[in-house]
Amino acid sequence: MEKTGRIIKSISGFYDVLDDESNVLVRTRARGNFRKRKIKPLVGDKVSFDSTGDLGYILEILPRENSLVRPPIANVDQAIVVTSAAEPNFSSNLLDKILVNIEHNEIEPVIYLTKADLLSDEQYAELKTTLMGYHEHADYQVFCDRDSYNDQQVSKLKATFADKVTVFTGQSGAGKSTLLNHIDHDLGLATAEISQTLNRGKHTTRQVSLFDIEGGLVADTPGFSSIDLQNIPAEELPKLFPEFLKYSDMCQFRGCRHVNEPNCAVKEKLSEGQIMQSRYDNYLYFLNEINSYKKRY
Ligand SMILES: Nc1nc2c(ncn2[C@@H]2O[C@H](COP(=O)(O)OP(=O)(O)OP(=O)(O)O)[C@@H](O)[C@H]2O)c(=O)[nH]1
Ligand SMILES: [Mg+2]
Ligand SMILES: [Zn+2]
């Protein structure tokens, strides 16, 4: 009998599908024709499936609202960008790159700072000012308390989960699984110290899996050490910075890239401090990076 459900976990060729009607978890395989068509079911996919015996079969992947490559997941509403203050060190370039990828998929990003305890008061104050700039100028929700996992802040984050699919994303070792364990003590997710020499995580989380938390679905995902902009066309990039978008109607030229054009409102706002210098610098850097991909073809 044909049913519908959502893939909440994928392990070595098997997909665990949560049946929409019965809420029962069914282990399935994808039919061979998916492989032939080079379509890989993703965690988060809504599917139709057939389950008569012990093992079900995915018949069809229903149309996706969006899908991320890194981490591999589909149909996401909100992304918690877990950003460590240290170990691995904060990088505005990496944060902005993650944000741009999320914006490109029309997912709502939220910034969550971890490991603030590893900073001196002075370092923390500086980083807090930077992160609050994201809130002030780009309207991003920012969680950056001195004590990263204090109950009040964790509860406030939890309250955003209802009726949504939320993905936790960010560098390996940033503290995604640790934060999720603070959110739901029963999860008991594995966490591990980052490599001291490389200042990098060890990819402790290996798979994407969705959990039912506070009336929403929430995914822990494997972290990454770097991320690229391969899927993003240069002309789209200015639209992925919400604070640029706010002013671009006032630029003299339609389709202004905010680089060397005269009467550019974005550059004007930059000089007035309404746009962060670091965001603008990263924008130029990304534009260069995207243009360098093109040259290679
Ligand atoms: N000092 C300090 N350590 C933390 C904090 N948050 C997490 N850690 C530690 O950082 C290490 C990495 O945390 P994880 O939660 O495993 O990181 P992750 O983002 O899930 O990493 P991957 O699964 O590899 O992507 C662990 O040893 C945690 O105990 C924090 O706020 N302060
Ligand atoms: Mg993890
Ligand atoms: Zn402009």
Side-chain angles (χ1 to χ4, degrees):
M1 197 182 72
E2 193 171 324
K3 301 173 182 174
T4 59
R6 189 193 287 268
I7 300 177
I8 64 154
K9 199 172 180 180
S10 121
I11 356 161
S12 42
F14 294 98
Y15 300 93
D16 286 347
V17 176
L18 196 62
D19 187 321
D20 284 338
E21 293 250 308
S22 66
N23 237 19
V24 168
L25 206 56
V26 183
R27 179 145 295 185
T28 67
R29 299 207 77 137
R31 290 210 306 203
N33 62 350
F34 284 110
R35 239 164 298 144
K36 270 181 238 139
R37 281 150 56 202
K38 294 215 167 113
I39 302 171
K40 203 173 146 40
L42 291 173
V43 169
D45 266 329
K46 292 174 189 162
V47 297
S48 64
F49 68 102
D50 185 356
S51 78
T52 25
D54 281 349
L55 190 66
Y57 279 91
I58 296 178
L59 301 170
E60 204 179 344
I61 298 171
L62 305 182
R64 288 173 179 160
E65 273 166 53
N66 54 36
S67 62
L68 290 170
V69 178
R70 199 170 288 191
I73 186 168
N75 300 318
V76 176
D77 302 303
Q78 167 173 268
I80 313 301
V81 185
V82 178
T83 305
S84 52
E87 299 181 13
N89 290 334
F90 174 75
S91 153
S92 82
N93 189 282
L94 180 68
L95 173 59
D96 288 341
K97 214 176 231 189
I98 296 172
L99 291 170
V100 158
N101 269 300
I102 292 170
E103 291 283 357
H104 171 68
N105 287 286
E106 289 172 32
I107 296 167
E108 183 86 32
V110 172
I111 299 168
Y112 197 105
L113 181 72
T114 56
K115 307 200 187 187
D117 57 299
L118 300 176
L119 298 184
S120 68
D121 286 341
E122 212 176 26
Q123 289 168 321
Y124 169 71
E126 195 184 316
L127 182 53
K128 182 176 175 185
T129 306
T130 304
L131 292 179
M132 289 318 289
Y134 283 78
H135 177 61
E136 205 178 310
H137 303 299
D139 294 326
Y140 288 138
Q141 218 182 331
V142 175
F143 294 83
C144 63
D145 282 3
R146 187 71 175 108
D147 172 7
S148 303
Y149 305 118
N150 78 73
D151 290 343
Q152 212 190 340
Q153 177 165 265
V154 169
S155 304
K156 202 175 149 204
L157 180 66
K158 253 199 233 181
T160 68
F161 296 164
D163 306 319
K164 280 186 208 146
V165 176
T166 297
V167 65
F168 278 52
T169 185
Q171 240 179 325
S172 186
K176 297 176 291 298
S177 303
T178 303
L179 174 54
L180 274 161
N181 284 338
H182 280 275
I183 287 168
D184 185 335
H185 299 284
D186 296 332
L187 289 176
L189 299 170
T191 64
E193 269 173 54
I194 69 156
S195 146
Q196 287 302 326
T197 42
L198 294 172
N199 198 7
R200 246 195 233 156
K202 287 188 283 200
H203 306 290
T204 307
T205 304
R206 297 269 166 191
Q207 291 145 351
V208 179
S209 21
L210 280 168
F211 305 104
D212 206 327
I213 304 176
E214 296 283 313
L217 287 172
V218 182
D220 192 13
T221 69
F224 39 79
S225 36
S226 68
I227 182 168
D228 63 47
L229 303 163
Q230 297 277 4
N231 295 324
I232 299 170
E235 55 284 4
E236 195 194 333
L237 192 65
K239 303 191 180 95
L240 303 178
F241 286 72
E243 69 272 53
F244 296 8
L245 210 53
K246 262 200 285 199
Y247 306 119
S248 57
D249 274 356
M250 300 184 308
C251 292
Q252 183 179 336
F253 294 102
R254 252 221 269 173
C256 180
R257 300 269 180 101
H258 323 307
V259 183
N260 288 318
E261 296 89 339
N263 299 320
C264 168
V266 167
K267 289 183 82 171
E268 215 162 277
K269 293 293 173 186
L270 175 70
S271 68
E272 290 167 8
Q274 297 302 310
I275 283 174
M276 288 159 75
Q277 189 67 47
S278 65
R279 293 269 291 165
Y280 184 73
D281 291 346
N282 287 331
Y283 166 71
L284 293 182
Y285 188 93
F286 298 160
L287 205 55
N288 254 319
E289 187 171 328
I290 291 170
N291 287 327
S292 77
Y293 297 145
K294 260 192 274 177
K295 283 192 200 112
R296 263 183 261 147
Y297 295 122

